[in-house]
Amino acid sequence: MSRFDTVVIVDWSGGNDRGPHPKADAIWAAVNRGGAADAPVYLRNRQVAEDWLAGLFAAELAAGRRVFAGFDFPFAYPKGFCEALTGGQDPLVLWDWFEARIEDSAKANNRFDIAGEVNRLFKGCGPFWGNGLDRDIAGLPRRKDGYHNPFADRRACETQAKGAFTCWQMSGAGSVGSQVFMGLPVLARLRRRFAGQLAVWPFEPLTPQIAVVEVWPSLTVGPAPEGWIKDQWQVSEMARQIGGLMPEQVDAMLDVDAPEEGGIFGLGHEAVLKAEAAPLRNDCFALPHGVHWTPVDEALDRLRQQLTPVTGMETVPLAAAAGRIAAQGVFAPRANPPLPNTAVDGYGFAGARGAGMHRLPLVAGRAAAGDAPGAVPAGYAIRVLTGAALPEGVDTVILQEDVKVGADYIAFNGAVKEGANTRRAGEDVAAGDPVLRAGRVITTADLALLAATGVAGVMVRKRLRVGVLSTGDELVEVGEAAGTGQIYDANRPMLLAMVAQFGHLPVDLGRAPDDRAALRAMLDGAVGNVDAIITSGGASAGDEDHVSALLGEAGAMTIWRIAVKPGRPLALGLWEGVPVFGLPGNPVAAMVCTLVFARPALAQLAGAAWAVPQAFDVPAAFAKRKKAGRREYLRARIVEGRAEVFGSEGSGRISGLSWAEGLVELDEGARDIGYGDAVRYIPFGSFGLG
Ligand code: AMP
Ligand code: MG
């Protein structure tokens, strides 16, 4: 998420101090930075929370990070209340009104008295109800019976948010009313403290670095898994959900016009926030209007902006995690190394030694890797083996090759620096450091890092199931006899294998004849079994181009005319909500379009972070005059450090695909390439192909 760098979500509480140990119904906060989550923070009371928030804001401001600070209580009341109380419609004036009246300490506060005071202004039978104290308060009914509210029971946004509580209720389960009373004064003070650096949504333009936003975790966060306190889970999940949004999605959610009542962030966008079940929008493949040939980068930007993950999540043990996509950020539970240790075999002692000869008595025994650290008296040395935790009293190690060993002493020639040949605790990774980012395709090396820091399993995206379908009356299955005029289906084996190498689950959907009804039946049959479909052939606008015709009938299709060679129009659309990539039939175009367009799109659907394939500038071993207008991909390989290209650019030449080990990418502009000129080469490996 680049609109905000840091997301903090706070679950507020109107109650009193909850004690030193993490409990439910206290204040909980969770921070997520760029998809990486800190451990949720327990805040025992509001004073502690206010200090913590001020500290966090100051640190984020200093680091130049933009902050989304979400609080789970209403920022305003139903229409009319603010004006009745303050004489104007600005909810921020109401914040100050509360701030001036509410008295709060860890043990007691005057919220019921203030509620009664307000009610008395309205003739005493509402809008607030629910006195939680033993003593009676004039004007504040204990229950809702006989109560009269001159205002609406709910704000407009609350009528859309299923299960939201009314802000007029001051006590009892789910009494949002108390949270508002006890929350707004804190926000009002933070607003003053960070004046000019903090703005409140949706009442002020969000230009400053910190945005304070009303959220409601129950909108999108499911039940807590075992071992989690509900509030703790809700804040960390909500922070993860918002932290995982793309800037355009955040902007769409912030685009609310409710200057008096405020709103709930994400309302109407629940599916996007939940990500796992988010249906794609019907127009997810829309291209800009009026552009005849869309440049490659613009087409890719569209995919990047409009496609959202469609896969759920599961936890897998580390051993099964390589190649999977991290669904959540992970923080090191333990430092690496956990304790200071020795990097070599040698002798350990305390402190530096200057130039000249040194002689140190040896203590008995030794410290080896895995030993619990003992202690060494000052002035003594101990035998240490690589990886051993340093005993107490040891911070420096000399290599065994550099000492003379006597019966009960060592002697060596200085100097030795303090800390020599040792590794500091946490010098590699400190506990709490991010060790995995959401959206990362987990590498083999990541497994070492995760294991070293004590992570046994990771939450990953379920694998994306990708159906592959060939179309064309001319195709026969390899292994069958091919009649006159028939050709073997070359695309399907290739595309199925590419899908697998991209890390998804390939699903063979077979071959469809050039017959609309048959193709329709096959697509219908695939719905429910796949998350995305790649077809080849029949994607243009000819008589037998049934893929585009059918997707067009379904109403959610765009023909992508992309300024690229090789490539013919692609038909991108949704079939019963399943994204379909209609590739050209020509195997060369099918492969290139898969690498350039389908691969990043599938990655995005699978929940992976967007990644541009690594390209290298290499001297050309060919000459070519390229016209302006479209991007070209040439089948290429590296021979003696230079990029050779396949002799023929003919798009039916499958042999050239097999010959190639990568692609040369030539930009849209005109270019006269001579031998030795630098060209951009992308090895197939950069696309994830083996
Ligand atoms: P189409 O996009 O259906 O017009 O097909 C373009 C060209 O690609 C035609 O020459 C087709 O015969 C060929 N073609 C289509 N599908 C395949 C396939 N699965 N394997 C090999 N060639 C194909
Ligand atoms: Mg065809």
Side-chain angles (χ1 to χ4, degrees):
M1 179 166 81
S2 68
R3 197 181 192 297
F4 295 100
D5 308 292
T6 302
V7 177
V8 54
I9 301 296
V10 185
D11 188 308
W12 202 248
S13 162
N16 292 337
D17 186 279
R18 298 289 288 152
H21 302 297
K23 276 195 191 66
D25 298 324
I27 300 171
W28 281 90
V31 176
N32 189 297
R33 281 189 202 82
D38 289 353
V41 180
Y42 168 74
L43 300 160
R44 59 185 290 177
N45 64 42
R46 283 179 292 280
Q47 290 70 41
V48 169
E50 187 169 339
D51 287 348
W52 181 84
L53 283 162
L56 176 78
F57 288 175
E60 298 300 303
L61 285 170
R65 288 192 282 259
R66 285 158 308 162
V67 181
F68 177 109
F71 293 84
D72 77 328
F73 54 82
F75 285 6
Y77 284 89
K79 243 193 193 61
F81 178 73
C82 180
E83 184 149 17
L85 217 58
T86 67
Q89 294 183 351
D90 182 356
L92 297 173
V93 174
L94 186 62
W95 288 24
D96 290 333
W97 190 95
F98 276 109
E99 204 275 327
R101 285 162 182 81
I102 290 286
E103 291 160 17
D104 193 10
S105 76
K107 291 218 170 65
N109 61 70
N110 63 346
R111 66 182 191 269
F112 297 111
D113 296 291
I114 300 295
E117 190 180 304
V118 172
N119 275 9
R120 291 197 294 278
L121 294 175
F122 299 102
K123 315 233 178 342
C125 44
F128 295 106
W129 62 275
N131 175 6
L133 302 179
D134 291 339
R135 71 178 156 89
D136 285 336
I137 289 176
L140 184 63
R142 290 205 174 266
R143 311 187 151 273
K144 216 177 165 183
D145 334 326
Y147 143 97
H148 165 76
N149 184 355
F151 306 102
D153 212 32
R154 282 160 206 282
R155 297 179 293 161
C157 58
E158 281 154 1
T159 59
Q160 295 164 48
K162 256 217 213 110
F165 283 83
T166 160
C167 53
W168 305 117
Q169 182 188 344
M170 292 300 294
S171 72
S175 61
V176 167
S178 287
Q179 301 198 24
V180 181
F181 270 53
M182 304 318 297
L184 292 184
V186 173
L187 293 188
R189 282 193 292 276
L190 287 170
R191 214 178 138 243
R192 277 208 296 276
R193 188 156 172 173
F194 295 98
Q197 299 168 302
L198 179 156
V200 180
W201 177 83
F203 313 128
E204 299 177 296
L206 297 187
T207 28
Q209 232 173 294
I210 302 172
V212 171
V213 180
E214 179 182 336
V215 297
W216 189 45
S218 302
L219 192 64
T220 52
V221 177
E226 235 181 85
W228 286 74
I229 293 170
K230 182 179 164 219
D231 314 316
Q232 177 192 31
W233 170 249
Q234 288 205 327
V235 290
S236 66
E237 269 296 280
M238 173 120 263
R240 184 185 63 73
Q241 289 177 350
I242 296 175
L245 293 175
M246 293 176 280
E248 299 73 23
Q249 295 174 317
V250 177
D251 284 338
M253 293 184 201
L254 288 172
D255 186 13
V256 162
D257 184 29
E260 195 183 341
E261 292 197 334
I264 297 170
F265 179 80
L267 193 65
H269 302 268
E270 292 83 347
V272 177
L273 277 164
K274 288 194 232 170
E276 52 196 305
L280 294 170
R281 287 162 47 129
N282 253 358
D283 60 353
C284 65
F285 291 125
L287 281 180
H289 290 291
V291 180
H292 194 54
W293 291 97
T294 306
V296 172
D297 284 339
E298 200 168 308
L300 289 175
D301 275 351
R302 288 276 152 160
L303 293 173
R304 179 177 191 171
Q305 283 164 24
Q306 306 192 48
L307 296 183
T308 46
V310 294
T311 48
M313 303 178 192
E314 60 186 345
T315 302
V316 294
L318 220 47
R324 302 297 299 270
I325 297 161
Q328 282 187 321
V330 175
F331 298 84
R334 191 175 197 237
N336 182 54
L339 294 171
N341 67 38
T342 168
V344 298
D345 291 341
Y347 295 85
F349 45 86
R353 290 293 183 280
M357 283 305 293
H358 302 278
R359 185 184 160 113
L360 291 175
L362 269 177
V363 297
R366 57 171 210 178
D371 291 350
V376 173
Y380 282 77
I382 184 172
R383 170 83 173 132
V384 294
L385 298 175
T386 305
L390 297 183
E392 209 178 301
V394 172
D395 61 10
T396 303
V397 172
I398 186 164
L399 270 169
Q400 63 186 21
E401 289 84 352
D402 294 343
V403 300
K404 202 168 114 277
V405 186
D408 56 358
Y409 68 92
I410 55 166
F412 58 89
N413 202 353
V416 182
K417 278 200 201 128
E418 180 172 317
N421 298 312
T422 66
R423 308 171 180 134
R424 275 180 295 111
E427 73 172 23
D428 180 20
V429 182
D433 276 357
V435 282
L436 194 61
R437 303 256 166 194
R440 178 169 167 99
V441 179
I442 298 169
T443 66
T444 46
D446 290 340
L447 300 188
L449 177 61
L450 291 165
T453 50
V455 180
V458 274
M459 178 95 98
V460 296
R461 291 278 174 182
K462 287 193 175 146
R463 281 194 197 273
L464 187 78
R465 302 162 302 169
V466 183
V468 176
L469 180 75
S470 294
T471 73
D473 279 341
E474 73 277 29
L475 302 179
V476 285
E477 198 75 11
V478 55
E480 289 171 5
T484 337
Q486 292 190 306
I487 60 169
Y488 288 112
D489 179 355
N491 288 344
R492 217 161 86 249
M494 170 178 77
L495 294 173
L496 284 165
M498 287 172 84
V499 164
Q501 294 197 0
F502 296 156
H504 312 303
L505 279 181
V507 178
D508 189 350
L509 298 178
R511 237 165 348 99
D514 285 323
D515 171 88
R516 209 159 296 184
L519 180 61
R520 182 196 306 272
M522 292 179 82
L523 291 176
D524 281 344
V527 172
N529 300 322
V530 297
D531 305 304
I533 297 173
I534 298 180
T535 67
S536 66
S540 303
D543 298 349
E544 298 293 351
D545 288 323
H546 300 289
V547 173
S548 51
L550 269 182
L551 290 175
E553 272 175 36
M557 196 245 335
T558 314
I559 291 284
W560 280 37
R561 286 192 180 76
I562 300 172
V564 64
K565 179 184 172 190
R568 309 230 334 133
L570 309 181
L572 271 62
L574 294 181
W575 187 262
E576 306 272 336
V578 177
V580 180
F581 299 86
L583 304 176
N586 188 304
V588 176
M591 179 171 178
V592 171
C593 290
T594 301
L595 292 177
V596 177
F597 302 107
R599 176 186 159 276
L602 293 173
Q604 187 97 347
L605 292 170
W610 190 266
V612 178
Q614 177 69 57
F616 302 88
D617 279 348
V618 292
F622 62 93
K624 177 183 163 72
R625 179 161 288 175
K626 180 190 169 295
K627 283 197 290 234
R630 58 185 179 178
R631 185 174 295 185
E632 289 189 21
Y633 290 94
L634 309 176
R635 282 151 283 178
R637 65 184 186 191
I638 301 291
V639 176
E640 288 169 3
R642 291 165 171 262
E644 281 187 359
V645 294
F646 191 61
S648 158
E649 290 183 20
S651 60
R653 302 285 288 269
I654 305 177
S655 60
L657 275 185
S658 169
W659 170 92
E661 290 163 5
L663 299 172
V664 159
E665 182 183 62
L666 303 176
D667 273 342
E668 283 74 3
R671 222 185 131 184
D672 212 348
I673 298 159
Y675 289 88
D677 290 353
V679 289
R680 194 176 310 137
Y681 175 76
I682 313 173
F684 285 145
S686 286
F687 294 105
L689 298 185

